[in-house]
Amino acid sequence: MANIARTGDIIHLNVGGKRFSTSRQTLTWVPDSFFSSLLSGRISTLKDETGAIFIDRDPSLFTPILNFLRTKELFPRSINVHLLMHEAEFYGITPLVRKLQLCDELDRSSCGNVLFNGYLPPPGFTFTHACSSFPSDTAQLADPGMVRIICGHHNWIAVAYAQFVVCYRVKESTGWQQVFTSPRLDWVIDRVALNAKVMGGSLGDNDKMVAVASGTEIILWTICPDGNGNEIGVFSLNVPVEALFFVGNQLIATSHTGKVGVWNAVTKHWQNQDVVPINSYDTAGSFLILGCNNGSIYYIDVQKFPLRMKDNDLLVTELYRDPTEDAITALSVYLTPKTSDSGNWIEIAYGTSSGTVRVIVQHPETVGSGPQLFQTFSVHRSPVTKIMLSEKHLISVCADNNHVRTWTVTRFRGMISTQPGSTPLTSFKILSLEDIDGHGGCAAGTEIGPYGERDDQQVFIQRVVPDTDKLYVRLSSNGKRVCEVRSVDGTSITSFMVHECEGSSRIGSRPRRYLFGGHANGSIQMWDLTTAMEIAGKVDIRGPTEEELLELLDQCDLALTRTPDMSPAASFTHSSTPRASTSRYTSHHCQLPIEPLIDSFFCRHRHKSWSNLLKSSK
């Protein structure tokens, strides 16, 4: 070969500005490598001013590669195995790649680590066809076998794929078993809800319910003890469904446009209700609490359905109005343990579009006066997207790359106390990028949390980039890392959820908390977070380190990603109308200003239903 810088069989290389000299035999003993192709003329060369072959790669990583070619030995303690394997793959040094793969897999196994708890393979894809009345043009199936959403209730989980949903249940003796597969739908599932404990009513006590939604349409099935499913009905909210969940036996659907849909298991009737634009919601007992665009918090007792037979409307009652009338973009209701015959304290933490966090409190003996403002925090400069008030902590998340602020909550006899009140605890971020084209999953399946019971430590789940096989579990109170989980088969994680399954009937058996991951290949993988929480105190690491973060970011095209939209409170950005025009309550028959409506009902009904909740046990 002409013009190769060499003296006899000596080859001179310039790798990233650093000069190396070696023999032709050293570079070419691995067949079909980069160097054998380079020196045979199959790859064109670029030479520096001295005639040395220039290779635009990292010289620090080339040194151990050249040493391996010289000695056929590897010293992994002095190298970054992952980075070196990437370089060895570029140069095509197959024996080195294989050795590095073995080193990299020493602490990895297809059986997972000590936290790995189970694997559910992708279900079969043989279906009966569902109702053909659904529009087929919504079936934009980029990844039909990808897990989109997982939700759980008691010892059941529901797994939503693009066009069908599968339900599993766990028993101590048999483990997880697939018990129901829906018919194939003509539209892509965006939301899923599961009720594994139907009590009373016209449905049997052993029946379960699962519902899915896409666009404006909702379909509801009941699942019999033998696993057979019966379609209850197909309903329409008439606007896009943005939240789907059960309150007791009632199926609830909401939209930011100001629509609430309710299906009642007793009446078997679906009803749509117009309210003011909805930004956030929470539940407490049989109550649905709504945070709205006009700065007000409303509640609906969905068990009293329908409440007004005259016009068949739900009774929507204003509970509280923000002093500055900012949109209520996040909401969390905490019922304190019952400490006396008078009942529970009601504590509500909420966040606003201006970034304000407030806590309001209502004592059971003062229901007539409504909740009183307890504390205000002005620590966020972006809209609050999530908030959680628990037994020991107040946690808020804003739209600035999931910036989290936490406070320690002081309680006296179970009730929030002003001495010393809520004190700042920590500040951190849960960076989580979303895929623009949706190939990384849907937003409903990748919520960061916080997850967990309110009387226990809660966690955030962090998926840094859309196409990754790795999740970080972090304490919601201080951001510390509980554990890192990695797909046992290397597939990308497209959805996740934390759920607590009930313990067995044996004495001393306790519920256990699990992280469920849905994957691009359709599988479900499970990790034991109860064990992870028990050993988490031995390490003091927060989220991804800078090195881990850069490694993850290198795996994706940042131009095709975005930080998450406000969820579940994006609605105030959709409304550009003045507050006065959005503060209207619409029934099926007329449009009335909400203030006279609320005033008229407060005269007769104000807080009567709410007081029933106050007097009930948690």
Side-chain angles (χ1 to χ4, degrees):
M1 176 181 174
N3 297 325
I4 293 293
R6 62 186 181 185
T7 304
D9 284 337
I10 303 301
I11 308 298
H12 301 288
L13 303 173
N14 179 342
V15 181
K18 185 174 181 180
R19 296 179 63 84
F20 296 86
S21 296
T22 187
S23 69
R24 172 184 290 271
Q25 183 180 2
T26 296
L27 290 177
T28 58
W29 69 264
V30 177
D32 299 323
S33 69
F34 170 84
F35 298 109
S36 62
S37 298
L38 184 73
L39 298 180
S40 67
R42 295 197 302 269
I43 299 178
S44 61
T45 60
L46 177 66
K47 298 186 291 293
D48 66 9
E49 67 278 2
T50 67
I53 301 173
F54 180 75
I55 303 174
D56 192 12
R57 305 296 291 186
D58 188 340
S60 65
L61 294 172
F62 182 72
T63 299
I65 289 176
L66 182 57
N67 287 337
F68 175 80
L69 291 174
R70 288 167 172 164
T71 65
K72 300 182 182 180
E73 294 181 351
L74 180 66
F75 302 96
R77 291 186 179 178
S78 61
I79 60 174
N80 184 309
V81 172
H82 183 75
L83 293 178
L84 186 59
M85 183 165 60
H86 181 71
E87 288 296 290
E89 289 172 343
F90 170 80
Y91 290 117
I93 314 299
T94 305
L96 178 57
V97 170
R98 181 56 182 154
K99 285 189 175 184
L100 292 169
Q101 286 175 337
L102 292 173
C103 293
D104 190 45
E105 292 171 0
L106 282 177
D107 59 349
R108 296 181 61 189
S109 168
S110 61
C111 299
N113 59 19
V114 68
L115 300 180
F116 182 64
N117 187 259
Y119 182 96
L120 298 176
F125 291 91
T126 302
F127 312 97
T128 57
H129 204 272
C131 174
S132 60
S133 61
F134 292 160
S136 58
D137 57 357
T138 60
Q140 302 170 358
L141 300 182
D143 297 288
M146 177 186 74
V147 177
R148 292 176 60 81
I149 309 170
I150 311 173
C151 69
H153 192 222
H154 293 281
N155 286 352
W156 285 60
I157 61 171
V159 181
Y161 296 85
Q163 290 183 285
F164 67 103
V165 63
V166 180
C167 293
Y168 299 86
R169 69 180 171 201
V170 65
K171 293 184 178 179
E172 186 180 26
S173 58
T174 58
W176 287 96
Q177 291 183 319
Q178 181 177 332
V179 292
F180 170 72
T181 302
S182 76
R184 182 182 182 276
L185 307 176
D186 283 340
W187 36 272
V188 178
I189 296 173
D190 295 325
R191 298 287 186 274
V192 62
L194 175 67
N195 185 354
K197 215 161 194 177
V198 178
M199 301 299 293
S202 58
L203 298 173
D205 286 346
N206 294 322
D207 285 354
K208 320 298 178 186
M209 288 189 290
V210 63
V212 297
S214 176
T216 64
E217 306 299 314
I218 302 160
I219 185 169
L220 175 65
W221 294 276
T222 178
I223 307 173
C224 304
D226 60 5
N228 291 323
N230 298 312
E231 183 182 305
I232 294 177
V234 179
F235 315 109
S236 178
L237 191 62
N238 299 322
V239 291
V241 177
E242 294 175 346
L244 188 69
F245 52 95
F246 283 96
V247 176
N249 291 357
Q250 284 63 245
L251 176 65
I252 312 294
T254 67
S255 172
H256 77 268
T257 60
K259 284 273 191 180
V260 177
V262 181
W263 180 86
N264 186 276
V266 176
T267 65
K268 294 188 177 180
H269 176 68
W270 175 265
Q271 178 177 346
N272 287 335
Q273 178 72 47
D274 290 309
V275 295
V276 293
I278 300 167
N279 288 341
S280 53
Y281 73 91
D282 198 5
T283 62
S286 64
F287 286 82
L288 172 63
I289 297 95
L290 304 174
C292 293
N293 203 39
N294 64 346
S296 290
I297 298 174
Y298 300 94
Y299 71 88
I300 304 171
D301 187 348
V302 296
Q303 283 191 344
K304 295 185 176 180
F305 175 86
L307 289 174
R308 293 181 288 168
M309 300 304 296
K310 181 179 179 180
D311 54 10
N312 207 34
D313 279 346
L314 299 169
L315 179 57
V316 181
T317 308
E318 185 180 52
L319 181 68
Y320 184 79
R321 176 161 292 195
D322 181 72
T324 58
E325 297 189 3
D326 286 334
I328 310 296
T329 54
L331 191 66
S332 177
V333 180
Y334 181 77
L335 296 179
T336 65
K338 189 174 181 180
T339 55
S340 66
D341 293 336
S342 59
N344 307 85
W345 282 63
I346 303 295
E347 300 170 1
I348 299 177
Y350 70 89
T352 71
S353 56
S354 64
T356 302
V357 174
R358 302 189 197 274
V359 179
I360 58 176
V361 177
Q362 181 166 310
H363 189 274
E365 296 176 353
T366 60
V367 293
S369 60
Q372 302 298 309
L373 182 60
F374 178 76
Q375 253 179 324
T376 298
F377 304 95
S378 301
V379 296
H380 292 292
R381 299 182 62 191
S382 299
V384 178
T385 58
K386 302 176 187 296
I387 199 161
M388 176 61 67
L389 180 60
S390 64
E391 181 181 9
K392 297 180 179 179
H393 299 104
L394 170 62
I395 300 161
S396 64
V397 185
C398 80
D400 178 17
N401 284 320
N402 291 329
H403 175 220
V404 182
R405 285 294 303 263
T406 69
W407 295 265
T408 299
V409 175
T410 304
R411 296 187 179 278
F412 178 71
R413 294 181 179 177
M415 297 171 286
I416 198 166
S417 172
T418 57
Q419 300 296 329
S422 303
T423 55
L425 182 57
T426 190
S427 170
F428 56 95
K429 286 188 177 182
I430 306 289
L431 177 64
S432 179
L433 301 178
E434 291 181 349
D435 201 344
I436 291 176
D437 59 13
H439 289 287
C442 67
T446 54
E447 289 283 347
I448 64 170
Y451 294 95
E453 300 297 324
R454 302 193 189 210
D455 57 354
D456 200 356
Q457 271 278 29
Q458 297 179 316
V459 296
F460 286 114
I461 306 299
Q462 182 176 13
R463 187 187 69 165
V464 179
V465 294
D467 187 11
T468 182
D469 64 350
K470 187 182 298 185
L471 296 175
Y472 296 92
V473 182
R474 301 174 63 178
L475 291 178
S476 61
S477 58
N478 54 28
K480 289 184 178 179
R481 186 190 301 187
V482 175
C483 64
E484 168 196 320
V485 300
R486 200 167 187 175
S487 169
V488 296
D489 57 5
T491 55
S492 296
I493 300 171
T494 56
S495 60
F496 48 83
M497 178 263 308
V498 174
H499 180 59
E500 192 171 84
C501 295
E502 297 173 344
S504 69
S505 57
R506 293 180 299 182
I507 297 177
S509 178
R510 296 181 178 179
R512 296 194 70 82
R513 193 185 308 189
Y514 299 97
L515 168 60
F516 294 84
H519 294 253
N521 67 346
S523 67
I524 303 294
Q525 300 178 25
M526 293 164 273
W527 290 269
D528 183 356
L529 288 192
T530 298
T531 299
M533 298 284 282
E534 291 172 353
I535 64 177
K538 298 179 182 179
V539 294
D540 188 8
I541 306 175
R542 290 182 177 261
T545 63
E546 290 184 0
E547 292 78 8
E548 290 171 327
L549 179 59
L550 289 174
E551 180 182 336
L552 288 166
L553 294 176
D554 284 341
Q555 299 172 13
C556 73
D557 185 350
L558 293 179
L560 299 177
T561 64
R562 64 184 178 191
T563 53
D565 293 331
M566 290 192 57
S567 177
S571 59
F572 79 93
T573 62
H574 294 274
S575 177
S576 58
T577 54
R579 180 172 290 119
S581 64
T582 60
S583 302
R584 301 187 70 82
Y585 179 97
T586 306
S587 71
H588 293 294
H589 306 291
C590 62
Q591 292 188 343
L592 297 173
I594 190 165
E595 290 81 2
L597 174 68
I598 295 298
D599 291 343
S600 65
F601 276 98
F602 274 23
C603 294
R604 303 187 302 272
H605 304 289
R606 185 175 189 180
H607 304 304
K608 286 185 178 180
S609 297
W610 193 248
S611 64
N612 294 334
L613 176 62
L614 289 164
K615 294 179 181 178
S616 63
S617 298
K618 183 179 178 182

